[in-house]
Amino acid sequence: MDRERLVAEVKSRNDIVEVIGQYVHLRRQGRDYVGLCPFHPEKTPSFHVSPEKQLFYCFGCHAGGDVIRFVQLKENLSFAEALAQLAQRVGLSVEAEKGASGRQKIYDALAAAQAFYRRMLEGPQGEEARRYLASRKVSPEMAERFGLGYAPTGWDGLLRHLRSQGFRQELLQEAGLLAVTRRGKAIDRFRHRLMFPIWDEKGRVVGFGGRLLGGEGPKYLNSPDSPVFRKKEIWYGWPLARQAILDAGQALVVEGYMDCLMAHAHGFTHAVASLGTSLTDEQAQKLARLTDQAVLAYDADRAGQGAGERGWEKLQAAGVAVRLLLLPEGQDPDDVLRKEGREAFARRLAEAVPLEEFAFHQIRRDVDLRTLEGKRQAVMRLAPLLARERDLVRRDYYMQRYAQWLGLSDDAFRRILQEYRAESLEHKGNISRNTKKSLGVERPLSTRERRKQKAEELILSLLVQGKVAGEDVWHQMKPEDFRPGPHRELAEVLHGGEDPFEHSWRLSEEAQELLGRLAFLEDAAESPIGEMVKECVQTMQEYRQWQRVEEIQLALRDLEVQGKEAPRELQMELSQLLSALKRSAQPAGREARP
């Protein structure tokens, strides 16, 4: 069965109300069902499920999509994993992907390696490792919960053990359990180390981190990337912390294995670790699917702060608000928890400083804000921080706070920030200088833009809900008339004559959310459908004309500055456009209805 047919079969046999009903208490409301959203805390139901369209949408957090998308979000799975889970639910067999059997053998080898390491820790050879754990106040219960083990000192103890169980040497090397010497001899990668198994979302061992207990070598050694392990995508402790992160509404981000383990041991079970490295885009995006709040508790020394700063950027870009848990110089969360205890750490956690405030205090230590040059340096260091902030309320709040602290006007600081964002986009090649000048950057939508946006969404909602036929729309406009992004993506699907509900799995996350919202949008307009379509088309056509007017006016100004004469054709086109717009001018207050 090809993927297209498999998706259609899975969606047809997994009723979305039944599947979501296993997670959410739903009650019927008209033709749809409503309940409390499982993706964000709320007291009044804003989560809607349509059995007719087989879609869900939350008007609170804007999550939306089909049954596969719901399972992806709820279980934090990839599309393929959610599809396989739903297929299994209704007894459909999913053909194994190419290489899947090989990956399963790697999973089996890693699981067998963990069992071996566990036995070594509990046996005579693990005495030194057990003493080390006792010195770090790690109880046997926590060691078992995190699956800790011990890699013995021999060169090939694991290799011989796994060979005896039928695992090939090539497979063990692919799994990252073996290393090869310069002479080509295979040896155990981990020797005389306390072993920390690393799990994926499903709780499968995908790699290891090993802490050296004596002798030469790096203090910590991680498994190399493999077909089942990509370090930049993994959070240590993820399966143990996932539900706690959802319950707490935030994640506690630490740097090392022991920091994460000790946080859990003291009741902070929403802690995850970034495997001792600077945080990656993939990790940030994965965390953002669970929460929009994170507290970073990295080491307070210079290296820890450097890792923290690199993490801020990634988390902000993913839409996660960051706070900093300030620790004593040279100490990490493990040190503080063992020395001060749970209550003291909880107080520090409650007093975590918002990133925006921490950054300003750091800058104030570095530059003299009494001078104009100091103020300029501060603004240029703060501008990237605000430019990455997605939350408009937070951005505006701290923009005003920064302006006040620096003794600048709000308007001056706002102009500097817009200029920075524009220059950044221009440098990346995402926007031309002329476009930046004519349209501005991150400014509020104009009345004309708001009217055009409402018209777009009304047209799309009428098409999505089947209240108007495509032939009544597409001979008057084309998908390129819609804003780039989810609006244009959905318009292209509708223009192609495809059923958006049947093919929603092919849409981006943003387009699925837009489809869900438009599918549940209630039409409060009193005008006949035909009149509504006519008004929307006219609004969008006028917007295109005004865009052309602005382009011509900008070109004419540039020619005037250069002392050149404007082409007569350009002047005539401008005159004709302005005349047409004047004739079609709508009465005051007339807008496309949302």
Side-chain angles (χ1 to χ4, degrees), residues 277-348:
T277 62
S278 58
L279 203 144
T280 67
D281 290 316
E282 291 81 1
Q283 287 171 325
Q285 290 161 8
K286 184 173 182 177
L287 193 66
R289 292 199 291 269
L290 281 191
T291 182
D292 59 0
Q293 303 284 329
V295 177
L296 269 61
Y298 285 163
D299 293 8
D301 60 20
R302 184 174 300 176
Q305 288 185 7
E309 290 173 359
R310 290 191 293 273
W312 302 343
E313 180 180 354
K314 304 294 192 301
L315 288 169
Q316 271 197 313
V320 178
V322 176
R323 292 188 296 139
L324 276 296
L325 193 161
L326 304 180
L327 300 173
E329 188 70 25
Q331 296 188 27
D332 56 28
D334 174 31
D335 297 323
V336 175
L337 283 164
R338 286 188 290 113
K339 293 176 182 178
E340 298 183 4
R342 185 186 190 284
E343 291 185 4
F345 192 85
R347 285 195 298 271
R348 290 182 180 275

Side-chain angles (χ1 to χ4, degrees), residues 121-136:
L121 178 64
E122 294 169 354
Q125 296 186 66
E127 183 178 353
E128 184 178 350
R130 294 194 299 273
R131 285 202 306 269
Y132 173 79
L133 289 174
S135 72
R136 300 295 294 267

Side-chain angles (χ1 to χ4, degrees), residues 490-526:
L490 184 54
E492 288 172 347
V493 170
L494 293 165
H495 181 261
E498 296 180 323
D499 183 335
F501 304 118
E502 183 179 341
H503 297 280
S504 61
W505 63 278
R506 284 199 252 156
L507 298 173
S508 66
E509 294 180 12
E510 294 81 4
Q512 286 194 51
E513 291 172 358
L514 175 63
L515 174 62
R517 180 163 63 83
L518 297 180
F520 289 100
L521 198 63
E522 294 184 4
D523 177 22
E526 298 177 358

Side-chain angles (χ1 to χ4, degrees), residues 411-514:
D411 288 342
F413 199 100
R414 193 180 304 277
R415 285 197 300 273
I416 294 170
L417 179 61
Q418 290 178 348
E419 201 171 294
Y420 171 83
R421 291 175 65 84
E423 293 298 333
S424 297
L425 289 170
E426 182 183 338
H427 177 70
K428 295 176 182 176
N430 293 334
I431 186 170
S432 69
R433 180 173 290 274
N434 283 342
T435 302
K436 176 186 70 178
K437 287 181 178 178
S438 62
L439 299 182
V441 178
E442 287 301 309
R443 54 174 171 77
L445 293 178
S446 67
T447 300
R448 191 179 301 136
E449 288 168 329
R450 287 198 300 271
R451 291 183 62 240
K452 194 250 188 179
Q453 179 176 317
K454 290 179 181 180
E456 281 188 18
E457 296 205 347
L458 181 52
I459 283 283
L460 290 174
S461 69
L462 292 172
L463 289 166
V464 162
Q465 296 179 25
K467 294 180 179 179
V468 63
E471 55 265 24
D472 295 335
V473 172
W474 298 119
H475 73 282
Q476 305 177 77
M477 62 178 62
K478 52 188 182 296
E480 291 75 19
D481 294 330
F482 291 78
R483 283 176 295 161
H487 290 76
R488 185 174 296 178
E489 184 182 352
L490 184 54
E492 288 172 347
V493 170
L494 293 165
H495 181 261
E498 296 180 323
D499 183 335
F501 304 118
E502 183 179 341
H503 297 280
S504 61
W505 63 278
R506 284 199 252 156
L507 298 173
S508 66
E509 294 180 12
E510 294 81 4
Q512 286 194 51
E513 291 172 358
L514 175 63

Side-chain angles (χ1 to χ4, degrees), residues 71 76-86 200-202 204:
V71 173
N76 193 37
L77 303 175
S78 67
F79 178 85
E81 290 170 333
L83 180 66
Q85 180 171 310
L86 287 168
D200 65 6
E201 296 89 341
K202 294 185 176 181
R204 298 174 298 198

Side-chain angles (χ1 to χ4, degrees), residues 363 374-385 413 416 420:
I363 291 170
K375 293 177 188 290
R376 188 190 68 78
Q377 290 182 29
V379 170
M380 295 315 294
R381 286 175 61 175
L382 292 168
L385 184 68
F413 199 100
I416 294 170
Y420 171 83

